[in-house]
Amino acid sequence: QVQVVESGGGLVQAGGSLRLSCTASELFFENYAMGWFRQAPGKEREGVACSARGRGVTYYADSAKGRFTISRDNDKNTVYLQMNSLQPEDTAIYYCAARYLICRSRAADYDYWGQGTQVTVSS
């Protein structure tokens, strides 16, 4: 059974940084596109970034471009999201998700999800 587990969330002041980690098991990790999504209270889940083998990385959220960096370590079955210059509007539950081969921006296109990790940015 595929398991996806996120970690690294927490409370940080505006301007600070966090690094989220996501580990996926029971799948051939390097063949899977790994995406980060976030959902703020009362809002829809939105794609933040995705990494896929041979296709580089894609950033979906305009607010993430230039501040967030997605990377992956296939040997560790882990994908990371480095978040810098965090702002209160980045406050959300951050989810990691997996789908076969190709990144997509829609949450509905992903097959496996983690439980999410809370990120709270205070002003």
Side-chain angles (χ1 to χ4, degrees), residues 54-107:
R55 292 173 174 83
V57 300
T58 304
Y59 296 95
Y60 296 115
D62 288 339
S63 61
K65 296 174 184 176
R67 298 189 299 127
F68 293 4
T69 303
I70 187 171
S71 61
R72 63 193 291 159
D73 185 338
N74 289 332
D75 291 337
K76 296 182 178 179
N77 280 24
T78 300
V79 62
Y80 305 97
L81 186 68
Q82 177 68 44
M83 304 186 294
N84 298 328
S85 301
L86 284 162
Q87 300 301 315
E89 51 266 34
D90 294 315
T91 295
I93 299 174
Y94 283 71
Y95 296 91
C96 178
R99 73 181 306 277
Y100 189 64
L101 282 185
I102 300 173
C103 288
R104 290 285 186 265
S105 61
R106 291 195 321 154

Side-chain angles (χ1 to χ4, degrees), residues 1 18 30 32 44 52 60 65-66 69 87-89 96-97 110 120 123:
Q1 182 176 353
L18 283 174
E30 63 181 71
Y32 277 77
E44 292 187 356
Y60 296 115
K65 296 174 184 176
T69 303
Q87 300 301 315
E89 51 266 34
C96 178
Y110 285 73
T120 303
S123 57

Side-chain angles (χ1 to χ4, degrees), residues 28 38 51 68 79 102 111 116:
F28 193 59
R38 65 185 180 185
S51 171
F68 293 4
V79 62
I102 300 173
D111 300 307

